[in-house]
Amino acid sequence: MMNKLEQLKQRSQVVADTGDIEAIRRYCPQDATTNPSLVFKAAHLPQYEGQIAEALTWAEAHQGNANSTHVARLASIKLAVSIGTEILQLIPGVVSTEVDARLSFDIRGTIDYARHLIALYERAGVAKERVLIKIASTWEGITAASVLEREGIHCNLTLLFSQSQAIACAEAGITLISPFVGRILDWHVANGERKTFSPEEDPGVVSVRGIYEYYKTRGYKTIVMGASFRNTGEIEALAGCDRLTISPQLLQALEESDSSLSAGLSDITETEPRPTQGLAEADFRYQLNDDSMASEKLAEGIRNFIKDQERLELLLQDRVMGQQEINAATNS
C-alpha cells in the first residue's frame, strides 16, 4: 500500500516548504517555497557555504566601496536566488523567492525588488516562468503583484489569512495564494475558549476550504496553496487542494504512515468565470481591519519576516567585516 505522502501526491501538488537541499532530494516535491526565515536557516547549513562566499564576493564587486551593511543586504538577495537556483535543479516545477518584507507597504519598491530577483535568476540561466515572487498580501503588495503579473512575472501572495485578501488577489489576476492554516489555528487557540480542534473544525482548515470553494465556484484561476501546517491532520483535511506546501518534518510523518489518507476536500464543479466588479481599496482595508485575527497575524508575520531578514543580513555583515579585517592584516 502507498504511504500517505504518495497518496497525497495523487490528489494535490506537494510543495516542499524548505531550503534544505537534502530534504528536497528525499521527498521529491513538485515545487518548493522559501522565505527569509528559511533562507536564514539554510545559511547555517554547510552545503550552502559556497553560495554564501559567492554571494558576498558578488555583492562586494557590485557595491564598490559601500559599507558592510549595503554589501550584506545585496548579498542576501543574491544568496536567496542562489538557493532558489540550486533547488530548481532538483524539482520539475517552480520555486518561490520572497521580496524583502520591509517593502510590504511600498508598491514601487516591491516591483523594483521583484524585477531585480527575476533579473538575477535569468543571469543564472533560470527562466522567469520557473519562479514565483512571494509578496505579503497587503493592499500595496497585491497592487504591485498585479503589475508584475501583467509583465509575465508570476507571484505567490503570502501571509494570507482572510477571504478579503483572497478575493483581492483573485480579482488582481495573481497566479497563486498561500493561506496560512497553522497561524490561523494559533490565533484561535491563543484568543478563544477552545484549545483543541479536530482537523475538520480547525479554523485554518475551514478558512482554506472556504477560499477554495469560493474560487472554484466562480471560475477564478488563481491557485490555492495551503501553507503553515501544524500537524498532518490539517494536511489530510485539505487533500485535494491545488497545492500544499509542507515542512520536512511533516513530509516525513506522512511518508512514515501507511494508513489511508483522510477524505479531504470534496469535489467542486468549476464554473465559467463570472464578471467581477473588483474589491475597492477602502472595502479591503475595512474588511481586513474588522478581522482581528487576519490583521494581527498579517502584521505579526511581516514583523517576523523582517526580523529574520535582518538576522540574515547581520550574519552576512559579520562575514564581510571578518574578511575586511583579514585583508587589512594581510596588507599591513
Side-chain angles (χ1 to χ4, degrees):
M1 180 176 179
M2 293 187 294
N3 62 48
K4 282 187 175 179
L5 180 56
E6 292 169 331
Q7 294 174 60
L8 182 64
K9 286 181 177 181
Q10 291 191 331
R11 301 187 59 189
S12 299
Q13 282 193 17
V14 171
V15 180
D17 194 15
T18 183
D20 185 344
I21 289 295
E22 295 309 314
I24 292 169
R25 184 176 285 112
R26 172 177 174 178
Y27 297 112
C28 303
Q30 173 72 21
D31 304 328
T33 58
T34 65
N35 60 44
S37 304
L38 296 176
V39 173
F40 177 70
K41 290 179 182 178
H44 289 82
L45 299 175
Q47 59 260 43
Y48 287 120
E49 185 60 33
Q51 282 88 341
I52 292 173
E54 179 188 2
L56 289 169
T57 299
W58 180 87
E60 288 176 325
H62 283 75
Q63 282 287 7
N65 296 321
N67 62 38
S68 59
T69 301
H70 292 128
V71 171
R73 183 166 296 183
L74 187 59
S76 71
I77 301 172
K78 176 66 171 175
L79 179 61
V81 171
S82 294
I83 289 174
T85 301
E86 185 82 9
I87 289 171
L88 284 169
Q89 296 179 26
L90 300 175
I91 61 174
V94 300
V95 68
S96 291
T97 300
E98 192 142 353
V99 166
D100 190 329
R102 290 170 292 200
L103 300 171
S104 295
F105 304 98
D106 182 343
I107 296 172
R108 175 50 55 189
T110 295
I111 291 171
D112 290 344
Y113 196 103
R115 289 170 177 165
H116 184 42
L117 286 173
I118 291 298
L120 288 175
Y121 269 113
E122 289 181 333
R123 287 174 198 157
V126 175
K128 64 182 179 181
E129 289 76 17
R130 297 203 66 197
V131 180
L132 289 177
I133 299 297
K134 283 183 78 175
I135 301 170
S137 299
T138 59
W139 179 262
E140 293 81 2
I142 297 168
T143 302
S146 69
V147 174
L148 294 167
E149 291 281 359
R150 290 194 294 272
E151 296 178 2
I153 297 174
H154 302 307
C155 299
N156 169 355
L157 270 291
T158 187
L159 295 175
L160 192 145
F161 302 98
S162 69
Q163 192 166 72
S164 59
Q165 290 172 293
I167 292 171
C169 287
E171 292 182 349
I174 305 306
T175 296
L176 180 147
I177 61 168
S178 296
F180 275 30
V181 178
R183 297 195 196 188
I184 294 175
L185 172 64
D186 294 344
W187 188 92
H188 283 275
V189 169
N191 293 276
E193 295 182 1
R194 293 185 61 178
K195 302 303 177 185
T196 60
F197 296 84
S198 70
E200 296 299 315
E201 300 173 308
D202 185 303
V205 170
V206 172
S207 177
V208 175
R209 284 182 168 179
I211 291 168
Y212 183 81
E213 181 176 357
Y214 186 92
Y215 276 16
K216 300 308 177 186
T217 57
R218 287 164 175 79
Y220 287 120
K221 299 305 179 184
T222 298
I223 296 163
V224 180
M225 182 172 72
S228 178
F229 293 107
R230 295 292 178 260
N231 54 69
T232 57
E234 292 176 327
I235 296 169
E236 291 191 57
L238 290 173
C241 191
D242 298 327
R243 299 182 194 178
L244 300 171
T245 182
I246 306 170
S247 69
Q249 294 82 2
L250 294 178
L251 287 171
Q252 179 178 353
L254 290 166
E255 185 183 60
E256 291 175 349
S257 176
D258 292 326
S259 57
S260 296
L261 196 70
S262 298
L265 296 179
S266 302
D267 290 335
I268 298 175
T269 302
E270 296 193 26
T271 64
E272 290 298 317
R274 300 182 184 181
T276 60
Q277 296 180 347
L279 184 63
E281 179 180 354
D283 293 330
F284 174 89
R285 293 193 186 280
Y286 178 84
Q287 291 173 26
L288 186 60
N289 182 73
D290 195 46
D291 187 332
S292 297
M293 178 276 297
S295 57
E296 290 172 20
K297 296 308 287 186
L298 173 61
E300 178 188 71
I302 291 171
R303 288 195 299 269
N304 287 338
F305 280 159
I306 290 172
K307 186 183 301 181
D308 282 333
Q309 178 65 30
E310 290 174 342
R311 291 168 69 195
L312 173 62
E313 290 174 10
L314 283 174
L315 182 152
L316 295 171
Q317 187 175 356
D318 287 343
R319 291 283 297 268
V320 172
M321 294 174 69
Q323 187 58 51
Q324 288 175 348
E325 290 176 1
I326 292 172
N327 293 340
T330 302
N331 296 328
S332 62

